[in-house]
Amino acid sequence: MPFDAKWEDYQRMALRFAESLDGSEPLAVARAYAGFGRRFAQDRDSLPQTDADRAFHLVATATDLIDYQLPFATDEEAETIIPHAHRVLEEAISLDANCFDAIRMDEASRCPSFESYYVFLQEREPEVRAVCAQAREQAAKETGDSSTERLELACALATWPHLRWLAMMASKALICGRNRETLRFCNELLDLDLNDNAGARYTAALAYAKLEDEQGLDQLEARCRRLTQSSAGTDAWMLIARLALAHRKRDLPRARQLVSKLIELYPQAVVALARQRELPDGVFSRLAVPPFSEDELILALSEATVLTQEGRDSLGKGALGSWLLQESLAHATRAQLDELDDVIEGMGPLGTAFMGGAQ
């Protein structure tokens, strides 16, 4: 599952609450746990927490503002959301100087380019790695006599900020055309986290397609089959990467087969493939969307613009993007064609010709 800031906030507080009950009578522990959910939702300040916990709660608040509200806000709403999010992140950093999620998210809006942001991430990564490793050691030491579940969660919570830092480095390296560096970061992430919460395999698939490395893509798929949680090569990123390779080799029957597979696996895929919407990148992490949902396909297509928009053509898209648009329209129902009327109109004479043939 992708990183979810709200769920992680809950996990942190639940762990802290469990620690506060160590040594209590079983009946008292049971009564306390019965009220934890209500207190977390309605009276959070009554629960035991550190400044680091408070800082992460602010990160979760900022994530909701930036990643889930801002992309759909009006200009007027954005004028309120953006400064509010900055204040929240600044408060988080003031509470915890090592709140690397807040530091990374705050810097994202201050860097003038993807390249400068990538350089910032690269320069600070050794520090993030060292501090998170130390935090993990401390967490293991403090919870070593507790249950295995508590120990694993404590260590994971200490490690995840570094994983998110690496994942953002991989994402920005891909956008900046540093494909081999992208793969280096993704391979490290896959080594560090068997659940691949950061979705490194998705970013890696796009990088292998950029490098036209089909063997590397095969090896990635084989490796992903061994992950604790994996869609084993049937996710949208892998299918789009393979589609891009097939299209580049002019193996159009194979490319069409992969388009059909996407349409089979994802709801409303025809509309998503035709529109190819670009979404703002998640600032906390890759957006948390349900697997094999329409939102997941939209997200994968947005990240795959590094492939679909290569070599702009008369439609304002890349060669693959334009081919995908036309191929998806060939699969469209009458109702879907009506929904895509603005897209078809934007195709100009080609759209007119298509609609003439579709009558």
Side-chain angles (χ1 to χ4, degrees), residues 296-319:
E296 183 177 80
L297 178 57
I298 291 171
L299 178 60
L301 285 164
S302 178
E303 293 184 14
T305 54
V306 294
L307 299 172
T308 59
Q309 292 186 5
E310 281 186 312
R312 296 265 179 177
D313 68 355
S314 59
L315 295 182
K317 299 178 179 293

Side-chain angles (χ1 to χ4, degrees), residues 189-218:
L189 281 163
L190 289 169
D191 287 338
L192 290 171
D193 180 16
L194 293 181
N195 288 322
D196 191 23
N197 291 287
R201 61 192 184 278
Y202 303 146
T203 307
L206 301 179
Y208 278 121
K210 286 284 289 183
L211 290 169
E212 301 184 40
D213 185 353
E214 191 160 9
Q215 182 179 1
L217 203 57
D218 290 340

